[in-house]
Amino acid sequence: MLRVACTERSHWREQARDFGFHFHTLYGEPYWDESAYYQFSLDQIERDLEAPTAELHQMCLAVVDRVVRSEALLQKCRIPEHYWDQVATSWYTREPSLYSRIDLAYDGHSPAKLYENNADTPTSLYETGFWQWLWLEDQVNAGHLPRNADQFNSLQERLIRRFQALRQQMPGHGLHLACCKDTIEDRGTVQYLEDCAAQAGITCHFVYIDDIGLNDQGRFTDLQEQPISWLFKLYPWEFMQRETFGPATADSHCRFLEPIWKSILSNKALLPLLWEQFPGHPNLLPAYFEDDPAAATLHHCVRKPLFSREGANISILKDGSIQQHSPGPYGAEGYILQAWHPLPRFGHNHTLIGSWLVNDQPAGISVREDHNPITQDLSRFVPHIIL
Amino acid sequence: MKRSRQINLEQMRKRTPAPATTAGRMVKLSLLLGSGYLLTGCDSQNAQLYRTLSECTLDNPLHPQQCDYAYRSALADWQQTAPRYRSMSDCAYEFGSSSCQQYNHYYSPNMAGFMLARGDDFDIDFSKRAKPLGLSKTFGANNKWVGADGTLFGDYSRQKVRVSGNAFKPLKGGARTLGRGGFGKTIASRSSWGG
């Protein structure tokens, strides 16, 4: 695993406009950064990232299977009691999922360690599945990278195939896709999924999550008053469950992507539950609920809110004192502690691997860099190759 | 090969406008207009209103089974088509609090009676499906019979009415959006959250 400096393609900004990649620069800072790439060996990809990703995912599903059968654990996950049956039914009937991203700390030789699972609303999908793929095509065609350079990235192909399979289960139904207003990245992610679904032959409609209505039949509607029977929502279940329309999801005759059982996976309670069920697993870090006496064994650890995104409200604790803290709005539902395991550094950069799954199949990786050891939403996206 | 073999770049391009896809919607709209014309017939029809099953059987001693069937089918239709409200107070505003019941995630009024068609010989025409009715308590239409779609059928005290011919047409369960904005509020209070 190497970080290799390289020359930017001269036309990439123009190309970004052509393809509708509007968020390559955020708040004046580069988000897409092709002044370097990461180079992996095939072994590193297959043995250290792909195989552990598949295994970690199966372990996560085993945790889901345990949680839905236990009121005490559903309570620990802070899933409101009103939804316990709905979550369990969704799991027992194996409501289909689309995709996930797990975050891994990996330095090229020691086992990758699971940081967290973004199973419900993962973003940076377009940059991974399409944009870095295009970058490699261009660099190879221009002769800047060898012909045999590859990339761990079958994301787009698998998404389209997954949508084709899901389409068979929803004959005659269009897919609505929703995200919040005023976030260009989320809109980009949803647009990309819409493109993939359309290529799988699905009729798509877009609606902002805030514009969704509820009609007198208990069904969700779009702005044209059309009932929504199949909804991809780039909006977390933990928010939906606590909002006005949340209770209506049960009888709405709407199938959701991701399904509601994913609210167990996108929850940091997953981390102590994994450690409890698979103690000492090489790809896991010791983790405990904050109120667990065993948490005292962690002298150097990271304190994460049960619900948190993009590195918000995270503290690094050493022997009881806070070493570093990131601000944010989360934490009301409690915290977990995870053993300190710093991201590997390449030069001044702290590097985080996002490992993607489509349904339960590993589908590729994204690499993000930050000058800060806690990666945040402004971390730069850097492409990678296999050589 | 660990990456997507082929990506259709033309389909990923955003600058050339995609072909308009509004054709489907246009077709639906014109169908709606068409069926609207069919509804505007203006023949009228005698009808009988019953508040309970026993009123019907007392009135029609020879047809207790037909009354029973009429009552039950009306009740089933009412459950399908009756208006649903997100709050008790919204339901009570239109139907009075004593007649509103809570269901899973909504409130809905009870059926207050059912309407049967009468033939020219003034006998009940049981071949026409009974129409379920509620009792409106809303300002301006207090104590009036009201259909699930909001059509009024006169004072609650009346038992014989003349209605338009299509009053017995079954309702499809009108889909009225009661409100929007029930999702998306959390995000407004938190700065960033993407995964």
Side-chain angles (χ1 to χ4, degrees):
Chain A
M1 183 178 178
L2 307 165
R3 187 183 195 275
V4 184
C6 74
T7 317
E8 291 190 5
R9 295 166 294 160
S10 55
H11 65 291
W12 79 262
R13 285 181 177 81
E14 177 72 7
Q15 194 183 38
R17 270 194 294 277
D18 283 351
F19 284 100
F21 182 26
H22 301 299
F23 51 101
H24 54 74
T25 306
L26 292 171
Y27 315 103
E29 297 290 323
Y31 166 63
W32 167 258
D33 181 359
E34 59 175 77
S35 67
Y37 61 84
Y38 281 81
Q39 179 180 325
F40 296 84
S41 71
L42 187 58
D43 252 7
Q44 286 173 327
I45 291 291
E46 291 189 333
R47 182 195 59 212
D48 296 346
L49 295 173
E50 186 175 17
T53 295
E55 190 182 349
L56 283 167
H57 183 70
Q58 290 305 318
M59 289 156 61
C60 290
L61 297 185
V63 169
V64 175
D65 195 59
R66 188 159 65 106
V67 171
V68 294
R69 291 163 209 276
S70 156
E71 294 189 356
L73 293 180
L74 285 161
Q75 178 61 39
K76 285 215 124 170
C77 292
R78 295 289 182 265
I79 292 176
E81 188 173 341
H82 181 86
Y83 298 96
W84 291 356
D85 276 346
Q86 200 182 337
V87 171
T89 306
S90 155
W91 171 249
Y92 292 142
T93 58
R94 294 294 186 277
E95 260 200 276
S97 84
L98 178 63
Y99 73 137
S100 303
R101 192 193 78 225
I102 64 177
D103 285 345
L104 300 170
Y106 177 63
D107 59 7
H109 35 89
S110 25
K113 298 287 188 187
L114 176 69
Y115 263 23
E116 55 193 56
N117 191 344
N118 299 286
D120 187 14
T121 57
T123 55
S124 73
L125 184 70
Y126 177 83
E127 310 83 290
T128 309
F130 179 65
W131 195 251
Q132 70 167 346
W133 185 94
L134 192 60
W135 166 85
L136 178 61
E137 286 282 299
D138 278 356
Q139 293 291 36
V140 168
N141 289 337
H144 297 144
L145 285 171
R147 283 260 149 226
N148 59 338
D150 199 0
Q151 195 171 70
F152 181 29
N153 179 17
S154 55
L155 201 46
Q156 179 157 342
E157 204 168 82
R158 284 180 189 273
L159 283 170
I160 294 171
R161 242 186 286 148
R162 181 66 180 152
F163 272 124
Q164 282 165 344
L166 294 174
R167 197 184 112 199
Q168 307 300 317
Q169 302 176 21
M170 295 296 284
H173 292 279
L175 175 69
H176 279 81
L177 299 103
C179 70
C180 292
K181 290 176 180 166
D182 302 326
T183 79
I184 188 170
E185 304 151 78
D186 290 358
R187 186 66 189 91
T189 300
V190 166
Q191 180 60 53
Y192 180 54
L193 282 168
E194 192 174 330
D195 289 345
C196 291
Q199 288 183 45
I202 294 171
T203 309
C204 296
H205 314 275
F206 178 79
V207 59
Y208 282 110
I209 195 94
D210 337 40
D211 284 339
I212 289 176
L214 183 64
N215 74 14
D216 52 7
Q217 313 279 299
R219 305 206 46 190
F220 294 118
T221 55
D222 62 17
L223 284 176
Q224 284 75 43
E225 303 276 333
Q226 293 303 305
I228 298 174
S229 51
W230 190 17
L231 177 67
F232 173 88
K233 39 114 227 124
L234 193 65
Y235 193 69
W237 272 110
E238 78 239 22
F239 291 0
M240 289 168 65
Q241 286 166 350
R242 288 161 176 79
E243 292 179 344
T244 322
F245 282 176
T249 54
D251 296 321
S252 59
H253 299 284
C254 180
R255 177 165 276 207
F256 292 92
L257 287 174
E258 299 298 316
I260 193 171
W261 59 261
K262 284 244 175 151
S263 54
I264 297 173
L265 291 183
S266 59
N267 186 314
K268 302 294 185 298
L270 173 72
L271 301 169
L273 293 173
L274 272 172
W275 185 248
E276 185 181 82
Q277 201 165 343
F278 305 96
H281 190 282
N283 299 115
L284 294 181
L285 294 167
Y288 302 97
F289 288 99
E290 193 172 41
D291 58 1
D292 182 343
T297 58
L298 298 178
H299 298 295
H300 196 179
C301 62
V302 181
R303 182 173 183 256
K304 298 178 173 180
L306 283 192
F307 302 131
S308 147
R309 283 146 202 291
E310 302 279 15
N313 294 90
I314 285 178
S315 318
I316 300 173
L317 304 176
K318 192 172 185 186
D319 298 319
S321 66
I322 297 175
Q323 290 206 308
Q324 200 183 354
H325 176 73
S326 63
Y330 302 98
E333 292 85 6
Y335 289 84
I336 63 110
L337 302 179
Q338 184 182 43
W340 170 244
H341 180 90
L343 286 175
R345 291 183 65 166
F346 293 83
H348 295 297
N349 307 292
H350 303 262
T351 304
L352 178 73
I353 308 286
S355 187
W356 294 82
L357 294 113
V358 173
N359 189 19
D360 53 6
Q361 298 296 310
I365 56 166
S366 42
V367 182
R368 292 182 70 178
E369 289 183 337
D370 207 304
H371 290 300
N372 192 303
I374 303 175
T375 58
Q376 304 238 351
D377 50 351
L378 299 181
S379 305
R380 282 165 289 114
F381 191 109
V382 184
H384 79 276
I385 67 167
I386 307 172
L387 201 60
Chain B
M1 189 146 159
K2 305 291 286 181
R3 67 181 189 279
S4 299
R5 262 157 227 288
Q6 196 60 54
I7 286 183
N8 186 331
L9 292 184
E10 281 321 301
Q11 284 184 318
M12 299 304 293
R13 224 173 267 284
K14 293 287 178 289
R15 262 196 181 173
T16 35
T21 51
T22 48
R25 230 167 258 150
M26 300 287 281
V27 170
K28 267 186 209 153
L29 187 67
S30 57
L31 279 177
L32 272 173
L33 288 174
S35 57
Y37 287 116
L38 291 177
L39 282 171
T40 52
C42 59
D43 53 329
S44 69
Q45 159 90 54
N46 287 310
Q48 179 79 31
L49 294 157
Y50 293 119
R51 300 171 195 194
T52 62
L53 171 56
S54 61
E55 276 188 7
C56 180
T57 47
L58 284 171
D59 235 14
N60 304 277
L62 297 178
H63 303 291
Q65 279 151 356
Q66 283 90 334
C67 277
D68 187 58
Y69 177 76
Y71 171 77
R72 280 190 290 118
S73 58
L75 197 57
D77 288 353
W78 181 253
Q79 279 158 3
Q80 286 291 314
T81 56
R84 298 176 177 194
Y85 300 88
R86 277 169 58 199
S87 75
M88 183 65 176
S89 58
D90 287 348
C91 182
Y93 181 79
E94 294 195 37
F95 290 92
S97 54
S98 60
S99 103
C100 286
Q101 265 198 54
Q102 180 170 13
Y103 294 85
N104 235 345
H105 60 272
Y106 61 89
Y107 298 83
S108 200
N110 293 327
M111 183 173 88
F114 55 107
M115 182 166 76
L116 289 166
R118 281 192 295 138
D120 294 336
D121 51 2
F122 289 95
D123 281 345
I124 300 289
D125 177 3
F126 283 105
S127 70
K128 281 207 167 131
R129 193 173 175 87
K131 184 184 184 69
L133 297 177
L135 175 58
S136 168
K137 291 284 181 187
T138 192
F139 180 76
N142 193 20
N143 280 331
K144 304 261 189 222
W145 291 107
V146 62
D149 59 350
T151 316
L152 295 171
F153 292 95
D155 278 348
Y156 186 56
S157 56
R158 292 178 66 183
Q159 290 220 297
K160 290 182 170 48
V161 287
R162 272 187 85 77
V163 297
S164 93
N166 54 39
F168 284 94
K169 248 183 134 61
L171 295 176
K172 273 200 72 184
R176 196 156 55 102
T177 294
L178 300 175
R180 299 189 185 277
F183 285 134
K185 286 285 180 282
T186 316
I187 191 67
S189 62
R190 305 193 186 198
S191 52
S192 85
W193 60 272

